[in-house]
């Protein structure tokens, strides 16, 4: 499977589940928290053939994890938690949250397309210059970046859930009646 196809399937699936679970005013449940991680792991497991470890490949994977974590934290910061009238904890993901996920996933898909169609020679030169094992490491790095985005978003959502349950109204957690 090519880099673009892999990015399209992984990012498209992750984007769909994130938008389905986070958009609007939703109750925070265990399924809602776990579903995006489960989908990400399953899709990445099905689409990514290998995780190269030669040369500087682990460094690129770590960079992907770091960038993904930062992006996931930023996206998660756009989710607000609160209690509704019945006392259930809910979160609200608005247009900014959805737009950021579309931008991040779309950027990964566009990059993967560009690697295959626009700047393939530059990618080959980059992987050679930096002692990477080829385009397969780019595929796996984008995959771990996507997974770390989802994990970071989940960590923020769990943090918001705990803060609201504890009665805290810190930044990002708002208590109000619906």
């Amino acid at each position: 499977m090519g880099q673009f196809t892999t990015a399209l399937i992984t990012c498209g699936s992750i984007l769909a589940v994130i938008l389905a679970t986070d958009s609007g005013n939703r109750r925070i449940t265990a399924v809602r928290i776990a579903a995006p991680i489960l989908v990400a792991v399953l899709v990445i497991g099905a689409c990514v053939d290998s995780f190269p470890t030669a040369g500087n490949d682990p460094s690129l994977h770590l960079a992907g994890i770091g960038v993904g974590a930062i992006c996931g934290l930023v996206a998660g910061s756009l989710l607000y938690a609160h209690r509704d009238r019945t006392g259930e904890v809910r979160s609200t993901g608005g247009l900014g949250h959805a737009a950021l996920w579309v931008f991040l996933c779309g950027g990964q898909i566009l990059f993967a397309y560009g690697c295959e169609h626009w700047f393939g020679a530059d990618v080959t030169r980059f992987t050679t210059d930096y002692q990477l094992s080829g385009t397969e490491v780019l595929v796996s790095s984008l995959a771990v970046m996507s997974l770390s985005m989802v994990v970071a978003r989940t960590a923020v959502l769990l943090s918001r859930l705990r803060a609201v349950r504890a009665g805290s109204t810190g930044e990002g957690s708002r208590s109000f009646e619906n």
Side-chain angles (χ1 to χ4, degrees):
M1 188 176 316
Q3 186 172 355
F4 172 67
T5 305
T6 300
L8 189 61
I9 293 170
T10 58
C11 291
S13 300
I14 290 170
L15 179 62
V17 75
I18 289 291
L19 293 180
T21 59
D22 287 352
S23 295
N25 188 2
R26 307 259 181 184
R27 199 175 73 150
I28 300 176
T29 63
V31 170
R32 178 161 167 237
I33 290 169
I37 291 177
L38 181 62
V39 167
V41 167
L42 291 174
V43 170
I44 289 168
C47 292
V48 177
D49 296 328
S50 67
F51 285 89
T53 58
N56 289 323
D57 295 352
S59 297
L60 189 60
H61 288 130
L62 288 173
I65 290 169
V67 169
I70 291 168
C71 292
L73 290 172
V74 170
S77 72
L78 298 174
L79 287 173
Y80 300 98
H82 61 278
R83 285 194 187 276
D84 65 8
R85 281 185 223 143
T86 65
E88 294 206 358
V89 181
R90 304 177 79 79
S91 72
T92 303
L95 185 58
H97 179 263
L100 183 59
W101 276 99
V102 168
F103 175 76
L104 294 170
C105 292
Q108 285 187 23
I109 293 168
L110 189 62
F111 174 76
Y113 182 84
C115 286
E116 287 186 4
H117 298 285
W118 299 327
F119 40 85
D122 295 328
V123 169
T124 301
R125 189 172 23 263
F126 174 82
T127 58
T128 302
D129 290 349
Y130 291 97
Q131 299 174 0
L132 299 168
S133 60
T135 58
E136 195 63 30
V137 72
L138 297 176
V139 171
S140 59
S141 294
L142 286 175
V144 295
M145 179 181 162
S146 296
L147 180 59
S148 70
M149 284 170 45
V150 173
V151 169
R153 162 258 178 215
T154 302
V156 170
L157 192 58
L158 283 170
S159 172
R160 300 279 164 91
L161 174 65
R162 288 185 182 126
V164 170
R165 282 185 176 163
S168 170
T169 57
E171 185 177 322
S173 299
R174 298 185 297 201
S175 295
F176 59 88
E177 299 293 319
N178 271 357

